[in-house]
Amino acid sequence: MVICDLENFLPAGKARSVTVPSCLTKLLQVIICGAALCLPAVAENVPPASRYGLVTEKISSFIRHEMEEKEIPAISIALVEDQEIVWSAGFGNARTNMLATADTVYRVGSVSKLFTDIAVMKLVERGALNLDVPITKYVPSFHPMNRFGKDITLRELMAHRSGLCREPPVGNYFDPTEPSLAATIESLNQTELVYEPGTHEKYSNAGVGLLGYILEVTQGKPYLDYIEAEVLRP
């Protein structure tokens, strides 16, 4: 399963055509993904708590609209209040003639970026990291070519406004060598910023990789171990 904010998949210019309560994005995070490489499960869906009946009707209508328009094979969703699942359901077919359920497993994909952001923000809340100082405070060796003379901050990395390239030279999708995160980040010193930091949105896997590396070097743990301990287990 994957987690993403509802705002992230409201289609630009089309959100008004679907009746969704304006408070919806404050009420839930949605477990949603296409059915590529998903594994069906047998767990029962959780019927909606009575106070959420209207909300779940609206969400279900929205989901069916999105699935039809975007040809999404399957979606799984859960609504959580104070650590309690108050509604969960599956829509569509996870495999041929196999209905999706609330517990159907999907590829996590880029939703893992949110786990990284959550870990960073927990440290910001504790005062251990600062969103608005140059990231060289945490990774002094990070020096991509920057003709703009403006430093990159954590805030800009998390918002995809750092100006970094999309993929690093080492450790990208097509790199079969499985390098360390440190090697991936070091390779970014061979690259040049595309935009001045803070001026444009440009999706960057490299930037989120740098966030993960900052977690490693500041917390003294491998990224995966830290995410499991501080985000997934809690």
Side-chain angles (χ1 to χ4, degrees), residues 45 56-57 63 73 118 131 156 158 163 172 179 192 206 219 224:
N45 297 331
T56 58
E57 288 179 13
I63 286 174
I118 290 169
L131 288 175
E156 290 161 348
M158 295 170 70
N172 56 59
E192 183 175 358
Q219 303 310 302
L224 292 177

Side-chain angles (χ1 to χ4, degrees), residues 7 31 80 106 108 142 167 177 183 221 226 228:
E7 288 178 330
I31 298 176
V80 180
Y106 302 85
V108 66
F142 181 72
E167 302 295 338
T177 64
K221 289 184 179 180
Y226 188 79
E228 181 177 3

Side-chain angles (χ1 to χ4, degrees), residues 155-229:
R155 188 185 301 274
E156 290 161 348
L157 285 175
M158 295 170 70
H160 293 277
R161 295 176 65 85
S162 67
L164 285 172
C165 57
R166 180 183 175 103
E167 302 295 338
V170 173
N172 56 59
Y173 283 128
F174 306 104
D175 185 346
T177 64
E178 299 185 7
S180 66
L181 185 53
T184 295
I185 300 310
E186 182 181 2
S187 76
L188 290 173
N189 288 337
Q190 307 169 24
T191 68
E192 183 175 358
L193 296 193
V194 180
Y195 296 116
E196 178 181 342
T199 62
H200 294 75
E201 290 183 6
K202 176 177 173 53
Y203 191 85
S204 176
N205 288 320
V208 181
L210 179 55
L211 286 172
Y213 186 62
I214 289 170
L215 289 174
E216 284 197 348
V217 298
T218 60
Q219 303 310 302
K221 289 184 179 180
Y223 170 81
L224 292 177
D225 292 347
Y226 188 79
I227 292 296
E228 181 177 3

Side-chain angles (χ1 to χ4, degrees), residues 53-133:
L54 179 59
V55 170
T56 58
E57 288 179 13
K58 298 293 186 182
I59 297 172
S60 297
S61 176
F62 174 78
I63 286 174
R64 293 188 181 98
H65 173 276
E66 292 295 286
M67 290 180 70
E68 180 178 357
E69 182 174 274
K70 295 180 171 60
E71 298 182 350
I72 300 172
I75 286 175
S76 297
I77 180 170
L79 179 62
V80 180
E81 179 183 35
D82 193 23
Q83 306 305 310
E84 177 188 359
I85 296 177
V86 295
W87 173 60
S88 64
F91 298 81
N93 293 301
R95 292 280 175 88
T96 303
N97 298 322
M98 180 69 71
L99 295 177
T101 74
D103 282 351
T104 297
V105 179
Y106 302 85
R107 291 180 61 182
V108 66
S110 285
V111 178
S112 57
K113 290 179 171 63
L114 296 181
F115 301 155
T116 305
D117 289 345
I118 290 169
V120 169
M121 289 307 299
K122 289 180 70 173
L123 291 170
V124 171
E125 289 178 345
R126 298 172 191 166
L129 293 177
N130 188 321
L131 288 175
D132 297 309
V133 300

Side-chain angles (χ1 to χ4, degrees), residues 31-49:
I31 298 176
I32 182 174
C33 185
L37 296 183
C38 60
L39 302 175
V42 296
E44 295 292 331
N45 297 331
V46 176

